[in-house]
Amino acid sequence: MTEPHFITAWTPAEGIRRVTDGFQRLFGEPPAGVWMSPGRVNLIGEHTDYNGGLSLPVALPQATFLAARVAPAPGDV
């Protein structure tokens, strides 16, 4: 059995930098914006809180980062 492997969460600044750099490499120009959503997990119960059951949501240091821009219309390319 292997030992647990923990991954250090990116700081918000590092996450923004990484997705902005990746977007720039992939599309050749910077994104219009970058958004972040923090991680979350329910330790007790899935789909039970709205049924009156127990639920224990916990925030995580990991997050999802998104870089995006509006794509040009097909005739504008």
Side-chain angles (χ1 to χ4, degrees), residues 27-77:
F27 297 106
E29 58 185 74
V34 175
W35 294 265
M36 180 190 96
S37 178
R40 186 188 106 140
V41 64
N42 286 333
L43 292 181
I44 301 174
E46 282 294 324
H47 310 291
T48 60
D49 53 344
Y50 52 80
N51 289 320
L54 297 174
S55 179
L56 179 60
V58 176
L60 299 175
Q62 287 77 10
T64 299
F65 292 87
L66 171 77
R69 68 172 165 81
V70 176
D76 294 342
V77 177

Side-chain angles (χ1 to χ4, degrees), residues 12-26:
E14 182 180 7
I16 291 167
R17 181 189 56 77
R18 285 178 176 239
V19 298
T20 300
D21 291 350
F23 191 97
Q24 179 81 34
R25 278 193 312 274
L26 188 61

